[in-house]
Amino acid sequence: MADFNKKYKKIVKEIEEKIKDKEQLEFVNKKLDEVLNSFAELVLDLTDTIEEKIDDVDCKLYQISKRVQEIEDDIYEDEDGEVGILCPYCNNEFSIELLEENKEIRCPECNNEIELNWGYDDDCGCDCCNCGEFECDESCECGCQDGKDCTCGDNNCDCDCHDESDEEKE
């Protein structure tokens, strides 16, 4: 701001040196003040607009943070080891301590069984991760080490038991 004041005073001084007629000098100074005031109003309006936008962004950020916290609360286990469940049959919300070996639970409100999906496909019957989307180090009953290539339910892996079953088919 100090630089602006110096520049403004320098401009006014140069104008006063060039214009000797007092009436013309007064007119130019008046018009210069009008330009300056218009510029100051513009800066204030822009500042107000920017502050409003910042307030809007802060509000939206708060709403997003609040929603993210709600989602985290819904997804992650509580510190006491319980997980929130929403019954798909009656929309009853309840908490229960769950273990990965649980395949299903019963809703305390409507008494319907709710099937739990822990991210693996157990079509082969051996509880390995043979869904093809997750890599794991578990071995299944057929002996393969890669859950993606389980031979219990499909015929597309390289393990020995699969090769034997192909030879029997021929």
Side-chain angles (χ1 to χ4, degrees), residues 109-120:
E109 185 72 25
C110 68
N111 212 28
N112 282 315
E113 285 187 3
I114 302 170
E115 184 177 328
L116 302 176
N117 181 353
W118 293 107
Y120 57 83

Side-chain angles (χ1 to χ4, degrees), residues 27-151:
F27 175 78
V28 170
N29 281 335
K30 184 179 175 186
K31 291 300 178 182
L32 189 57
D33 285 342
E34 286 178 18
V35 169
L36 213 62
N37 286 333
S38 294
F39 180 72
E41 287 177 17
L42 178 65
V43 169
L44 290 174
D45 288 345
L46 289 173
T47 302
D48 290 344
T49 301
I50 290 170
E51 287 175 355
E52 288 173 10
K53 297 289 183 187
I54 288 172
D55 288 345
D56 288 345
V57 169
D58 285 344
C59 181
K60 288 176 183 177
L61 181 61
Y62 173 77
Q63 291 171 347
I64 290 169
S65 297
K66 186 177 174 183
R67 184 63 184 131
V68 166
Q69 185 61 50
E70 290 171 0
I71 291 170
E72 286 177 348
D73 291 346
D74 285 345
I75 292 175
Y76 298 110
E77 289 185 15
D78 295 335
E79 289 180 18
D80 60 0
E82 291 192 350
V83 175
I85 304 288
L86 177 65
C87 177
Y89 303 105
C90 69
N91 291 325
N92 178 41
E93 289 185 40
F94 60 98
S95 295
I96 188 167
E97 186 173 338
L98 293 177
L99 303 173
E100 265 195 50
E101 54 265 8
N102 292 18
K103 302 272 187 225
E104 55 193 33
I105 57 170
R106 193 167 291 279
C107 172
E109 185 72 25
C110 68
N111 212 28
N112 282 315
E113 285 187 3
I114 302 170
E115 184 177 328
L116 302 176
N117 181 353
W118 293 107
Y120 57 83
D121 183 6
D122 62 354
D123 288 343
C124 68
C126 65
D127 294 328
C128 68
C129 299
N130 75 340
C131 63
E133 295 180 25
F134 302 101
E135 292 185 30
C136 69
D137 295 328
E138 299 174 25
S139 62
C140 66
E141 291 172 341
C142 71
C144 66
Q145 294 296 312
D146 185 352
K148 288 190 338 186
D149 296 324
C150 175
T151 60

